[in-house]
Amino acid sequence: MLTRRAFLRGAIAGAASAFAGAAYAFGYEPLMEPRVARYRIAPRVWPKGFALEIAALSDLHACEPWMSIERIDAIVDRMNALRPDVIVLLGDYVAGLHHFATPIPAPQWARALSRLRAPLGVHAILGNHDMWDDETAQHRGRYETAARAALEDNGIPVYENAAVRLTGGARPFWLAGLADQFAIPAGRRKWNGLDDLPGTLAEVTTDDPVILLAHEPDVFPRVPERVALTLCGHTHGGQVRIFGWAPIVPSLYGNRYVHGHIVEDERHLIVSGGLGCTALPVRFGAPPEVLHIRVEAPAA
């Protein structure tokens, strides 16, 4: 039989646990030093004798106090220390918090990102918030965003339905960047995308391997096997994840593409947990991260 004293003890313990969990989710995990999530993958279509190391970040959401310029500087230093062959930025640089933070102007966060260094360069795509938070771009329904201008003004090329051929060591490869799939809100849980996957891949004119950059992972079911690896962000790993499951995921596929390395029909996808927050400055079970990926041919 449950006594009054036992009930009170349980209630107090439950309240203390809830308070501790909330303090962790709001005050600690969002401000953690980002971990380096390391992946080693071997797509079937990757050429033998060619290894490529990629560093990636997503969902910066630059704002005070959660993602300050000082914190971005530390993230840049951490990524440079990985010494990758190429660095890719997967979108959502602008603040996703409007009631709990002060946005950092695009020229400032872009200047901080301009210190990133890799032999094959730094390459970027945009995310939904880079469009949503730009009233001028929303009105035009086109690509001329403040985020794109800031990145390009600081020497970082931005790809929206475009591809570029790079040479890593003795073997060239393609980076293909997709425009945002949820670029223009069109009602409750509806968006008009600016993405053009067939048009983007049509720019690939050789049989060299292809790496696709797409902010949202929802495109993945349509990605052909010709693409060796798709890299995405957007989900924040769910931002709150309990025993690996996220109750809210900003994807039409729910938890299917919430985080990590996913293989479907021998096609490879990696979804970053990202760095910042949207809606609320909270992370629980989904710590901030940057990616370090080694791509190589399958073992014989």
Side-chain angles (χ1 to χ4, degrees):
M1 181 177 178
L2 182 64
T3 66
R4 182 172 179 274
R5 180 174 296 178
F7 172 80
L8 288 174
R9 278 202 304 264
I12 292 169
S17 296
F19 178 80
Y24 174 86
F26 279 90
Y28 180 73
E29 191 166 304
L31 295 169
M32 283 175 61
E33 179 180 354
R35 69 180 187 125
V36 178
R38 301 180 189 273
Y39 298 93
R40 190 166 183 162
I41 69 166
R44 189 181 66 80
V45 296
W46 197 258
K48 289 186 170 119
F50 177 37
L52 180 71
E53 294 202 359
I54 307 165
L57 68 76
S58 73
D59 302 280
L60 193 69
H61 293 301
C63 63
E64 294 281 1
W66 308 100
M67 186 61 67
S68 65
I69 290 297
E70 292 76 16
R71 192 174 181 207
I72 296 170
D73 283 338
I75 291 167
V76 166
D77 290 340
R78 190 167 179 82
M79 292 188 72
N80 285 340
L82 298 174
R83 303 178 65 86
D85 299 311
V86 65
I87 293 175
V88 297
L89 313 179
L90 300 174
D92 269 8
Y93 313 96
V94 305
L97 299 169
H98 300 288
H99 303 293
F100 304 94
T102 302
I104 292 174
Q108 294 182 27
W109 55 252
R111 193 177 309 120
L113 292 176
S114 72
R115 291 197 307 106
L116 289 165
R117 295 287 183 270
L120 299 178
V122 182
H123 308 266
I125 60 172
L126 300 180
N128 57 302
H129 281 276
D130 302 320
M131 285 289 297
W132 291 0
D133 287 23
D134 192 318
E135 292 184 8
T136 302
Q138 285 292 313
H139 178 71
R140 292 174 179 165
R142 299 201 325 239
Y143 305 138
E144 292 90 343
T145 61
R148 177 169 185 159
L151 288 164
E152 292 181 335
D153 286 349
N154 282 276
I156 299 175
V158 177
Y159 304 95
E160 294 187 270
N161 301 328
V164 62
R165 190 170 181 253
L166 303 175
T167 300
R171 183 67 194 247
F173 68 99
W174 290 87
L175 278 183
L178 203 62
D180 193 72
Q181 300 157 65
F182 299 162
I184 303 171
R188 184 174 176 80
R189 293 189 62 83
K190 291 183 180 178
W191 303 269
N192 292 326
L194 298 175
D195 55 303
D196 180 2
L197 181 61
T200 303
L201 296 181
E203 295 201 7
V204 176
T205 56
T206 70
D207 63 356
D208 299 306
V210 180
I211 295 170
L212 177 67
L213 313 179
H215 181 64
E216 296 93 354
D218 289 48
V219 71
F220 188 60
R222 298 189 284 119
V223 175
E225 190 179 344
R226 168 77 175 87
V227 174
L229 172 63
T230 302
L231 297 177
C232 299
H234 182 62
T235 66
H236 299 193
Q239 202 164 299
V240 172
R241 207 160 68 239
I242 302 166
F243 300 113
W245 177 80
I248 300 174
V249 183
S251 166
L252 300 177
Y253 294 92
N255 276 260
R256 180 172 169 182
Y257 304 130
V258 68
H259 181 250
H261 182 203
I262 297 110
V263 182
E264 293 183 354
D265 300 324
E266 297 191 73
R267 298 170 305 121
H268 292 258
L269 166 69
I270 294 177
V271 182
S272 171
L275 292 161
C277 300
T278 57
L280 290 171
V282 57
R283 277 182 176 260
F284 186 86
E289 67 179 23
V290 297
L291 303 181
H292 190 201
I293 304 158
R294 180 179 175 87
V295 191
E296 58 192 1

